[in-house]
Each structure stands twice: as C-alpha cells, then as structure tokens.
Amino acid sequence: MAFRPLAIVTGASTGIGFELAKCCAADGYDLIIAADEAEIESAAETLRATGVWVQPVQADLGTPDGVDKLIAEIGDRPVDALLANAGRGLGHAFLDQDFDEIAAVIGVNVTGTVALVQQVGRGMRDRNKGRILITGSIAGYLPGSFQAVYNGTKAFLDSFSYALGNELKDTEITVTCLMPGATETEFFDRAHMEDTPVGKDDNKADAAKVAKDGYEAMKSGKPGIVSGLANKLTVAAAGVLPETVLAERHRKMAEPGR
Ligand SMILES: NC(=O)c1ccc[n+]([C@@H]2O[C@H](COP(=O)([O-])OP(=O)(O)OC[C@H]3O[C@@H](n4cnc5c(N)ncnc54)[C@H](OP(=O)(O)O)[C@@H]3O)[C@@H](O)[C@H]2O)c1
C-alpha cells in the first residue's frame, strides 16, 4: 500500500497549529499531531472527520522524554513536512515570573524545537527531501518588555530558522519561518496576559489566515513570511528604530493593568 506523504505538526491541538494541520490535511498529507494536553485527541478526531489519517501524540515537547516520545511515534516513516509550531508565552515583569514557567517556555520554544528539528532534519538530509516550517514571531524583532523571555525565545527561533535554511540551501530541504503578529488564539490567556492591551485587543489576526500564509510559504520554499501588512511594517520599523524605543512600545502593549 502506498503511503501518502507525512506531515508532523506540533502544537496542533488549538490555534495556529490546529489550522496548520487542517492545511496539511486538505493538501493530502497523513498527519502526526502533537501537544501536551489530552485535547490533542479531540483535535485528531476533528481532523479525521475530513477523511485523513491522523495519529495524535500527547507529549510535553519541552522535555527530552516528550521529544523522544514523538520521535518514537514517527518511527522509520519518512517525514515530508515538519511544522514545528508548539510554543507558549509568558507575560508579566521578569522579576515576578515563576522560574519553572520561564524554564517551560525556553524548554518548548527553544530546546524542544531545536531537538526535534535536528532529529527529523537528519532523516530529511538522508533523503535530500523535506519541508520544515518553524513558527517564530515578529516578537523576535522586538525587545519584549513584560514578555521578555518569550520574545527572546522567538528572536532565537527567527534567527535559527534563517540560519538553518542557509545551511541547507544547496539541498532539496527548505526551511520557512512563519512570523505572526498578535493572533486570536488561547495564547494570551495561557501566558497570563488577559489584562494587557494586546491581550484585550479585539482586532487580532485570524489563526486560519496566519496558518494559510505560513503553509503556502512553506510549500513554495520561502525562507520566511511575516503574516499581515501591519506586522510587515512593524518588522520594517524594528530595523531602524533604537531598541529602547521598541522596548517602550512593547511595554505599551504588554504591561499588565494598562
Ligand atoms: N497567538 C499569537 O499572537 C502568536 C503570535 C506569534 C507567534 N505565535 C506562536 O504560534 C505558536 C502557536 O501558538 P498559538 O497562538 O496557536 O497558541 P495556542 O492556541 O496556545 O497553541 C499552542 C499550542 O502549542 C502546544 N504546546 C504548548 N506547550 C507545549 C508543550 N510543552 N509540549 C507540547 N505542546 C505544547 C499547545 O498544546 P497544549 O495546550 O497541549 O500545551 C497548543 O497546541 C506558538 O509557537 C506561538 O509562540 C503566536
């Protein structure tokens, strides 16, 4: 029996990742989807209703054991597309943050993503074929007052993604960095940012639109995509404005109780 191509989507239980998984399903991929909570099972049920093969994996991708669990589920099957999207935010003043939460953010956004991309990427290199999408953020261009660690992790991912893409430029493997701006998902509630201007903003981007932008960029092998015109302008401004000004602007979006 001929298998359909396989896509791995992390953080696929909700938000942008769930929408990315829907794009993969509509495009004919079999799916292995992963997230930390049991909700990944209901996401798999919803996706299966569209007629695709879906294997859910419940694993904390901020830990080596969680990454190993996902790698074990993939087994020997070639991965055609890896959409490394799982991530979480963390608001409030850095000195007031709980260090376990800080470590969890760095664990899933940075360490877990890097570990997964390396292990799956080596298999792609052996076959000289594959698409990688990494969900970074325009936050990576902005010193993130009142979300300082999170923005640092996204600066890492944005940079890492372009660097890896360059290392692989003479191969048939492409790396795409999806850089959304504020998007309507569970992200802000989970990051304890309900009581911030950006958390309360009713005009956030639509997760399905953001995912479609990222998915199409991945399929065409683009190195990066900033989703949305206003976000493109923000990134352009970040290239010329001093970091102190950018940090002050971020405070206005992310300071609790403002
Ligand atoms: N929303 C925005 O404004 C925005 C802007 C720029 C970039 N992003 C990025 O977009 C990505 C998706 O976020 P979202 O906005 O769609 O938020 P979301 O709805 O909260 O989705 C986050 C996803 O990541 C999973 N996840 C979080 N920690 C995990 C862990 N330790 N192990 C495995 N899975 C984990 C979540 O699953 P569980 O619930 O099971 O943990 C969920 O499926 C993130 O990388 C985020 O940084 C978001």
Side-chain angles (χ1 to χ4, degrees):
M1 188 181 100
F3 280 117
R4 294 170 7 138
L6 177 66
I8 313 297
V9 187
T10 70
S13 57
T14 57
I16 297 167
F18 181 60
E19 297 296 336
L20 285 169
K22 286 198 322 205
C23 292
C24 295
D27 210 11
Y29 285 92
D30 284 348
L31 280 166
I32 296 180
I33 59 171
D36 189 25
E37 307 284 340
E39 199 175 343
I40 196 66
E41 300 285 344
S42 47
E45 278 307 309
T46 307
L47 291 163
R48 275 189 203 115
T50 68
V52 293
W53 181 89
V54 187
Q55 174 68 48
V57 179
Q58 190 182 344
D60 180 355
L61 297 175
T63 65
D65 285 352
V67 174
D68 287 350
K69 182 173 176 187
L70 175 54
I71 292 290
E73 290 284 348
I74 298 167
D76 293 334
R77 197 167 161 194
V79 177
D80 296 279
L82 169 64
L83 295 87
N85 165 82
R88 52 179 285 189
L90 186 60
H92 289 270
F94 170 70
L95 294 181
D96 296 334
Q97 290 173 343
D98 178 293
F99 191 79
D100 288 344
E101 285 199 273
I102 290 174
V105 169
I106 297 170
V108 64
N109 295 11
V110 177
T111 317
T113 301
V114 169
L116 184 64
V117 169
Q118 190 184 46
Q119 296 204 52
V120 175
R122 284 176 172 164
M124 289 179 173
R125 180 177 61 185
D126 291 345
R127 298 186 314 282
N128 193 25
K129 186 171 183 288
R131 303 246 181 243
I132 298 173
L133 178 130
I134 294 172
T135 305
S137 174
I138 67 162
Y141 290 87
L142 309 170
S145 326
F146 298 93
Q147 209 183 3
V149 171
Y150 172 76
N151 283 38
T153 66
K154 291 293 165 174
F156 176 95
L157 287 178
D158 292 353
S159 169
F160 169 73
S161 184
Y162 278 98
L164 180 61
N166 180 270
E167 289 185 20
L168 296 171
K169 75 182 172 112
D170 296 325
T171 74
E172 297 301 317
I173 303 161
T174 60
V175 184
T176 302
C177 188
L178 168 59
M179 291 163 283
T183 305
E184 193 57 57
T185 69
E186 297 176 22
F187 175 90
F188 293 97
D189 288 352
R190 288 173 170 166
H192 318 307
M193 293 180 71
E194 306 92 330
D195 185 25
T196 63
V198 64
K200 288 186 282 197
D201 181 3
D202 289 332
N203 287 312
K204 293 199 257 310
D206 174 52
K209 161 80 170 66
V210 170
K212 184 167 179 285
D213 285 350
Y215 186 77
E216 286 175 356
M218 180 192 81
K219 288 295 278 190
S220 57
K222 282 190 186 161
I225 173 85
V226 174
S227 180
L229 179 61
N231 295 323
K232 287 183 173 67
L233 294 174
T234 298
V235 168
V240 290
L241 291 171
E243 275 74 9
T244 47
V245 172
L246 297 171
E248 183 61 26
R249 281 190 174 188
H250 202 278
R251 166 189 283 264
K252 293 192 168 77
M253 290 192 301
E255 188 175 14
R258 206 171 165 104

